[in-house]
Amino acid sequence: MVGNLPNNSQINPDGTFRIDNVLPGHYRIVPPTLQDLYIKQMRFDRLDALNQPVEAVQRGQDAPFLDVVLSGNVSQIEGIVSDTRLQPVTGAQVVLIPDANRDRVDLYKTTTTDQLGRFTLRGLAPGDFK
Protein backbone atom coordinates (compact mmCIF):
# COMPACT_ATOMS: atom_id res chain seq x y z
CA MET A 1 0.00 0.00 0.00
CA VAL A 2 2.80 2.40 0.77
CA GLY A 3 4.56 3.71 -2.27
CA ASN A 4 7.71 5.76 -2.59
CA LEU A 5 8.99 5.50 0.98
CA PRO A 6 12.43 7.06 1.43
CA ASN A 7 15.31 4.60 1.07
CA ASN A 8 16.04 4.68 4.81
CA SER A 9 12.45 3.67 5.72
CA GLN A 10 11.17 0.15 6.05
CA ILE A 11 7.79 -1.35 6.82
CA ASN A 12 7.64 -3.24 10.11
CA PRO A 13 5.86 -6.61 10.41
CA ASP A 14 2.86 -4.87 12.05
CA GLY A 15 2.49 -2.53 9.03
CA THR A 16 3.95 0.54 10.70
CA PHE A 17 6.79 2.60 9.30
CA ARG A 18 8.67 5.76 10.16
CA ILE A 19 9.81 8.59 7.91
CA ASP A 20 12.54 10.73 9.46
CA ASN A 21 13.75 14.23 8.55
CA VAL A 22 10.46 15.55 7.15
CA LEU A 23 10.85 19.26 6.57
CA PRO A 24 8.36 21.51 8.36
CA GLY A 25 5.52 22.67 6.14
CA HIS A 26 2.02 21.96 4.89
CA TYR A 27 1.51 18.70 3.02
CA ARG A 28 -1.40 17.00 1.29
CA ILE A 29 -1.18 13.26 1.79
CA VAL A 30 -2.33 11.53 -1.38
CA PRO A 31 -3.31 7.94 -0.68
CA PRO A 32 -2.68 5.27 -3.28
CA THR A 33 -5.50 3.85 -5.36
CA LEU A 34 -6.40 0.41 -4.04
CA GLN A 35 -8.05 -2.42 -5.96
CA ASP A 36 -10.42 -3.99 -3.42
CA LEU A 37 -10.17 -1.53 -0.52
CA TYR A 38 -10.73 2.15 0.04
CA ILE A 39 -9.35 4.55 2.61
CA LYS A 40 -12.22 5.27 4.95
CA GLN A 41 -10.32 7.56 7.31
CA MET A 42 -6.84 9.04 7.59
CA ARG A 43 -5.75 11.10 10.58
CA PHE A 44 -2.43 12.86 11.17
CA ASP A 45 -1.83 13.82 14.78
CA ARG A 46 -5.57 13.19 15.41
CA LEU A 47 -6.64 15.66 12.66
CA ASP A 48 -8.35 14.82 9.36
CA ALA A 49 -5.62 14.16 6.79
CA LEU A 50 -7.83 12.72 4.08
CA ASN A 51 -9.70 15.86 3.09
CA GLN A 52 -7.31 18.66 4.08
CA PRO A 53 -3.57 19.39 4.18
CA VAL A 54 -1.58 18.58 7.31
CA GLU A 55 1.15 20.61 8.96
CA ALA A 56 4.44 18.97 9.83
CA VAL A 57 6.44 20.74 12.53
CA GLN A 58 9.66 19.78 14.27
CA ARG A 59 8.91 18.13 17.61
CA GLY A 60 12.01 16.20 18.54
CA GLN A 61 11.31 12.58 19.42
CA ASP A 62 7.51 13.00 19.80
CA ALA A 63 6.62 12.55 16.14
CA PRO A 64 2.90 12.56 15.26
CA PHE A 65 1.27 9.41 13.92
CA LEU A 66 -0.55 8.93 10.64
CA ASP A 67 -3.44 6.54 11.27
CA VAL A 68 -5.14 5.00 8.24
CA VAL A 69 -8.43 3.05 8.35
CA LEU A 70 -9.09 0.79 5.36
CA SER A 71 -12.45 -0.70 4.43
CA GLY A 72 -13.32 -3.65 2.26
CA ASN A 73 -16.92 -2.40 1.93
CA VAL A 74 -16.49 -1.77 -1.79
CA SER A 75 -18.61 -2.34 -4.87
CA GLN A 76 -18.01 -2.81 -8.54
CA ILE A 77 -19.84 -1.74 -11.64
CA GLU A 78 -19.93 -3.49 -14.99
CA GLY A 79 -21.32 -2.24 -18.26
CA ILE A 80 -21.09 -1.97 -22.01
CA VAL A 81 -20.34 1.18 -23.97
CA SER A 82 -22.22 1.39 -27.26
CA ASP A 83 -22.51 3.97 -30.00
CA THR A 84 -25.70 5.56 -31.41
CA ARG A 85 -26.28 2.41 -33.52
CA LEU A 86 -26.01 0.29 -30.33
CA GLN A 87 -22.73 -1.21 -31.55
CA PRO A 88 -20.06 -1.89 -28.89
CA VAL A 89 -17.25 0.68 -28.67
CA THR A 90 -13.77 -0.82 -28.36
CA GLY A 91 -11.07 1.05 -26.43
CA ALA A 92 -13.35 3.71 -24.92
CA GLN A 93 -12.15 5.25 -21.69
CA VAL A 94 -14.69 4.95 -18.86
CA VAL A 95 -14.27 7.33 -15.90
CA LEU A 96 -16.13 7.33 -12.59
CA ILE A 97 -15.86 10.54 -10.53
CA PRO A 98 -17.21 11.03 -6.98
CA ASP A 99 -19.92 13.67 -6.50
CA ALA A 100 -18.37 14.74 -3.19
CA ASN A 101 -14.67 14.89 -2.27
CA ARG A 102 -13.56 15.56 -5.83
CA ASP A 103 -10.05 16.36 -4.62
CA ARG A 104 -9.71 12.71 -3.49
CA VAL A 105 -8.07 11.31 -6.61
CA ASP A 106 -7.92 7.88 -4.94
CA LEU A 107 -11.72 7.68 -5.41
CA TYR A 108 -11.54 8.27 -9.18
CA LYS A 109 -11.73 5.08 -11.23
CA THR A 110 -10.84 4.62 -14.88
CA THR A 111 -10.71 1.71 -17.28
CA THR A 112 -10.88 1.00 -21.00
CA THR A 113 -13.50 -1.09 -22.76
CA ASP A 114 -12.54 -4.43 -24.29
CA GLN A 115 -13.20 -5.59 -27.88
CA LEU A 116 -16.89 -6.10 -27.03
CA GLY A 117 -17.29 -2.69 -25.36
CA ARG A 118 -17.39 -4.23 -21.87
CA PHE A 119 -15.83 -2.69 -18.78
CA THR A 120 -15.55 -3.35 -15.04
CA LEU A 121 -14.68 -0.81 -12.35
CA ARG A 122 -13.73 -2.38 -9.00
CA GLY A 123 -13.03 -1.10 -5.52
CA LEU A 124 -15.71 1.58 -5.43
CA ALA A 125 -16.15 3.32 -2.08
CA PRO A 126 -19.71 3.97 -0.87
CA GLY A 127 -21.14 7.19 -2.29
CA ASP A 128 -22.57 8.88 -5.34
CA PHE A 129 -20.59 9.03 -8.58
CA LYS A 130 -20.90 10.42 -12.08
Side-chain angles (χ1 to χ4, degrees), residues 34-39 71-76 109 122-126:
L34 304 170
Q35 185 69 18
D36 292 317
L37 298 168
Y38 79 98
I39 298 177
S71 175
N73 184 25
V74 293
S75 299
Q76 76 177 35
K109 300 293 180 181
R122 296 178 51 194
L124 305 178

Coordinates of all heavy atoms in Angstrom, one line a residue, residues 34-39 71-76 109 122-126:
L34 N -6.4 1.8 -4.4 CA -6.4 0.4 -4.0 C -7.4 -0.4 -4.8 O -8.5 0.2 -5.2 CB -6.7 0.3 -2.5 CG -5.8 1.1 -1.6 CD1 -6.3 1.1 -0.2 CD2 -4.4 0.5 -1.7
Q35 N -7.2 -1.6 -5.1 CA -8.0 -2.4 -6.0 C -9.3 -2.8 -5.2 O -10.4 -2.6 -5.7 CB -7.3 -3.7 -6.4 CG -8.1 -4.5 -7.4 CD -8.3 -3.9 -8.8 OE1 -7.6 -2.9 -9.1 NE2 -9.2 -4.3 -9.5
D36 N -9.2 -3.5 -4.1 CA -10.4 -4.0 -3.4 C -10.6 -3.4 -2.0 O -11.3 -4.0 -1.2 CB -10.3 -5.5 -3.3 CG -10.5 -6.1 -4.7 OD1 -11.3 -5.7 -5.5 OD2 -9.7 -7.1 -5.0
L37 N -10.0 -2.3 -1.8 CA -10.2 -1.5 -0.5 C -10.3 0.0 -0.8 O -9.9 0.4 -1.9 CB -8.9 -1.7 0.4 CG -8.6 -3.1 0.8 CD1 -7.2 -3.2 1.4 CD2 -9.6 -3.6 1.8
Y38 N -10.8 0.7 0.2 CA -10.7 2.1 0.0 C -10.3 2.7 1.4 O -10.4 2.0 2.4 CB -12.0 2.8 -0.5 CG -13.1 2.9 0.6 CD1 -13.3 4.1 1.2 CD2 -14.0 1.9 0.9 CE1 -14.3 4.3 2.2 CE2 -14.9 2.0 1.8 CZ -15.1 3.2 2.5 OH -16.1 3.3 3.4
I39 N -9.8 3.9 1.4 CA -9.4 4.5 2.6 C -10.5 5.3 3.2 O -11.0 6.3 2.6 CB -8.2 5.5 2.4 CG1 -7.0 4.6 1.9 CG2 -7.8 6.2 3.6 CD1 -5.8 5.4 1.5
S71 N -11.2 0.0 4.4 CA -12.4 -0.7 4.4 C -12.5 -1.6 3.2 O -12.2 -1.1 2.1 CB -13.6 0.3 4.5 OG -14.8 -0.5 4.4
G72 N -13.1 -2.7 3.4 CA -13.3 -3.7 2.3 C -14.8 -3.6 1.8 O -15.2 -4.4 1.0
N73 N -15.5 -2.6 2.3 CA -16.9 -2.4 1.9 C -17.0 -1.7 0.6 O -17.4 -0.5 0.5 CB -17.6 -1.6 3.0 CG -19.1 -1.4 2.7 OD1 -19.7 -2.3 2.0 ND2 -19.7 -0.4 3.3
V74 N -16.6 -2.4 -0.5 CA -16.5 -1.8 -1.8 C -17.4 -2.5 -2.7 O -17.9 -3.6 -2.5 CB -15.0 -1.8 -2.4 CG1 -14.1 -1.0 -1.6 CG2 -14.5 -3.3 -2.4
S75 N -17.7 -1.8 -3.8 CA -18.6 -2.3 -4.9 C -17.9 -2.4 -6.2 O -16.7 -1.9 -6.3 CB -19.8 -1.4 -5.0 OG -20.6 -1.4 -3.8
Q76 N -18.5 -2.9 -7.2 CA -18.0 -2.8 -8.5 C -19.2 -2.5 -9.5 O -20.3 -2.8 -9.1 CB -17.2 -4.1 -8.9 CG -18.1 -5.3 -9.3 CD -17.2 -6.4 -9.7 OE1 -16.1 -6.6 -9.2 NE2 -17.7 -7.2 -10.6
K109 N -12.0 6.4 -10.6 CA -11.7 5.1 -11.2 C -11.8 5.2 -12.7 O -12.7 5.9 -13.3 CB -12.8 4.0 -10.8 CG -12.8 3.8 -9.3 CD -11.5 3.2 -8.8 CE -11.6 2.9 -7.3 NZ -10.4 2.3 -6.8
R122 N -13.7 -1.7 -10.3 CA -13.7 -2.4 -9.0 C -13.3 -1.4 -7.9 O -12.6 -0.4 -8.2 CB -12.8 -3.6 -9.0 CG -13.2 -4.6 -10.0 CD -12.3 -5.8 -10.1 NE -12.0 -6.3 -8.8 CZ -11.0 -7.2 -8.5 NH1 -10.2 -7.5 -9.5 NH2 -10.8 -7.6 -7.3
G123 N -13.5 -1.8 -6.7 CA -13.0 -1.1 -5.5 C -13.7 0.2 -5.3 O -13.1 1.2 -4.8
L124 N -15.0 0.3 -5.6 CA -15.7 1.6 -5.4 C -16.1 1.8 -4.0 O -16.8 1.0 -3.4 CB -16.9 1.6 -6.3 CG -16.7 1.3 -7.8 CD1 -18.0 1.3 -8.5 CD2 -15.7 2.3 -8.4
A125 N -15.8 2.9 -3.4 CA -16.1 3.3 -2.1 C -17.6 3.7 -2.1 O -18.2 4.1 -3.1 CB -15.3 4.5 -1.6
P126 N -18.3 3.5 -0.9 CA -19.7 4.0 -0.9 C -19.8 5.4 -1.2 O -19.0 6.2 -0.9 CB -20.1 3.7 0.6 CG -19.1 2.7 1.1 CD -17.8 3.0 0.3

